[in-house]
Amino acid sequence: MTIFSNVEHQKRNRQIEGETGVDLKIDEGFFLIVLAMTDANPKWTAKAQKAFNELNRLRNAGAQHGRLDRQWAELFADTIVIGWHGGLDDDDNLKPFGGLDASGDPVAFSRDNCVAYLVETDDASEAILEHCRNTKNFRARRADLIKDTAKNG
């Protein structure tokens, strides 16, 4: 039985958290589609603890910063980032991702390309950590606001 009729916006949306995700703006033309770091995300639940143990082991063994960055990037590519795009046009169509290859063409999303992007950039992994731990970023109302950001740049 529901007592409160005005708290729907305070409830978690497990489908958004673990299946559909939300847009995370890294920079102009650089949006990652991300899932939450919660129990609603089965890939995260299956891999996170083992990855944390490995990261702690590497850190305690004095691993280079680049090695740790790659471990984080692989964890995020395997469990959190499910796609990318460059924002939305006026008709809600996805624009190409802002990352370009040596020929000047947009880089297609793949796990390996995602790992490379996260390793090569300084802001993306930190943004993922900050954004994806907060379930409020995956509520239906908040997801709509994030979509509006993708549309309006």
Side-chain angles (χ1 to χ4, degrees):
M1 174 181 205
T2 301
I3 297 173
F4 299 97
S5 63
N6 63 340
V7 296
E8 200 60 35
H9 65 284
Q10 296 177 27
K11 295 180 182 178
R12 291 174 61 189
N13 186 319
R14 298 176 72 76
Q15 183 177 9
I16 294 173
E17 287 181 27
E19 296 175 31
T20 59
V22 296
D23 293 337
L24 171 58
K25 182 177 182 180
I26 304 300
D27 199 356
E28 194 65 38
F30 291 81
F31 288 83
L32 303 179
I33 305 168
V34 295
L35 301 175
M37 295 176 180
T38 68
D39 61 335
N41 177 345
K43 291 179 185 177
W44 176 257
T45 303
K47 292 188 175 193
Q49 189 58 55
K50 183 177 178 183
F52 290 150
N53 292 343
E54 178 63 10
L55 281 160
N56 286 333
R57 186 191 70 73
L58 289 169
R59 188 178 298 116
N60 291 338
Q64 296 288 331
H65 193 337
R67 176 73 175 125
L68 295 173
D69 289 346
R70 181 160 190 85
Q71 287 292 120
W72 278 112
E74 289 176 355
L75 175 61
F76 293 154
D78 289 341
T79 64
I80 300 296
V81 183
I82 60 172
W84 59 33
H85 62 85
L88 299 175
D89 64 19
D90 292 335
D91 296 321
D92 284 345
N93 296 313
L94 295 178
K95 296 178 187 175
F97 186 64
L100 305 176
D101 64 17
S103 302
D105 296 320
V107 176
F109 181 79
S110 70
R111 182 228 184 249
D112 291 342
N113 288 345
C114 182
V115 170
Y117 173 73
L118 295 175
V119 168
E120 290 182 35
T121 60
D122 294 318
D123 299 335
S125 289
E126 285 298 320
I128 291 169
L129 274 171
E130 181 180 323
H131 187 84
C132 296
R133 288 188 292 201
N134 186 347
T135 60
K136 289 181 181 179
N137 291 324
F138 297 85
R139 310 279 166 85
R141 183 184 295 172
R142 179 75 178 131
D144 288 341
L145 292 173
I146 292 169
K147 182 179 177 183
D148 288 343
T149 299
K151 187 171 185 174
N152 297 321

